[in-house]
Structure formats: C-alpha cells, structure tokens
C-alpha cells in the first residue's frame, strides 16, 4: 500500500469549511496516511459512523460540504424534500449561507447551481 500524500487544494477546502466541520455534531474530516482524506457522517446520538467516504477530488469535497450546508437549511424548514425541490426562499437562504465559502473558494462557484439540479 502506498503512503497517501496531502493535497494543497483539499487542504484549502478543509480550512475554509474548518469551523463548519468543527461545529457540526455529525461531520468529521481527517487525513489517513493509508487512505488519504476521509469525510465521515456520524450519528449524533450514538456517535456511530453512519457513512464514510475517501475523498480524492477537492471539487467533490467542496460539493459534499455545499450539500451539507444546504441540507441544514432544509432541515430548518421542517420540510422533507430534495434540494432540486427547494423553493425560492430556501434557495435564497442556501445561497446566503454558502456565500462566505464561495467568496473564499471562487473556483467552485459553479457548484452552487448544480446543487439544485434534478439527479
């Protein structure tokens, strides 16, 4: 097994979203010398790892974090629907919350519209 190497662009995305990840009770991001970057979703009540993914692409990492922020907004509305079904007010709030991240990661601004596309 080869030793994984750190990637500056992945590190940048991690720094920009660092406080968000730190405050989140259900997200963890770490670097493993065997696997590379890992994003984990943790069950808030049991602390069990519900899902984990090795992330090799900074754009994918950024998109996953955009989706997490967007899901936070949808959870606040109390409605259960997919992002592509978000109404105008939900979209506006999602965009407002993502703006500070987009300002620091302008190369990923195009991911915003992709959030609302039908899968």
């Amino acid at each position: 097994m080869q030793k994984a190497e750190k990637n500056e662009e992945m590190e940048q995305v991690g720094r920009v979203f660092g406080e968000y990840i730190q405050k989140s009770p259900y997200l963890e991001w770490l670097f493993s010398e065997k696997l590379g970057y890992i994003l984990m979703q943790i069950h808030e009540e049991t602390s069990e790892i519900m899902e984990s993914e090795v992330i090799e692409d900074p754009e994918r990492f950024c998109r996953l974090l955009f989706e997490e922020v967007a899901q936070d907004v949808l959870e606040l509305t109390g409605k259960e629907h997919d992002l592509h079904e978000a109404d105008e007010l939900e979209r506006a709030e999602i965009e407002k919350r993502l703006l500070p991240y987009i300002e620091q990661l302008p190369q990923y601004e195009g991911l915003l519209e992709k959030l609302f596309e039908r899968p």
Side-chain angles (χ1 to χ4, degrees):
M1 182 176 279
Q2 287 187 350
K3 184 177 176 179
E5 294 184 24
K6 292 194 174 188
N7 174 294
E8 182 53 40
E9 196 166 349
M10 289 284 283
E11 292 289 323
Q12 179 188 18
V13 173
R15 281 190 302 274
V16 168
F17 280 94
E19 185 176 343
Y20 176 81
I21 294 169
Q22 186 72 25
K23 287 183 177 181
S24 173
Y26 53 89
L27 279 182
E28 183 64 87
W29 176 64
L30 55 96
F31 180 79
S32 161
E33 289 188 7
K34 294 179 183 173
L35 299 172
Y37 296 95
I38 302 168
L39 184 64
M40 296 184 292
Q41 293 182 331
I42 303 164
H43 191 278
E44 189 172 0
E45 295 171 9
T46 65
S47 297
E48 180 181 352
I49 297 170
M50 302 301 292
E51 192 174 319
S52 64
E53 182 176 345
V54 175
I55 308 290
E56 297 177 351
D57 176 37
E59 183 173 317
R60 170 111 177 102
F61 184 33
C62 192
R63 183 181 175 118
L64 288 171
L65 293 168
F66 276 21
E67 289 172 359
E68 288 293 330
V69 172
Q71 287 299 330
D72 289 347
V73 172
L74 294 184
E75 285 179 23
L76 288 175
T77 67
K79 300 176 191 172
E80 291 189 28
H81 57 74
D82 292 331
L83 283 171
H84 70 271
E85 299 172 312
D87 63 31
E88 278 187 47
L89 289 174
E90 291 167 330
R91 286 180 182 224
E93 183 63 25
I94 290 167
E95 290 175 13
K96 176 182 160 190
R97 289 186 185 210
L98 287 174
L99 184 61
Y101 303 110
I102 292 169
E103 287 174 344
Q104 295 175 72
L105 298 165
Q107 66 271 38
Y108 300 118
E109 182 176 6
L111 294 176
L112 182 59
E113 278 307 309
K114 291 180 182 179
L115 280 178
F116 304 113
E117 292 176 356
R118 186 174 294 276

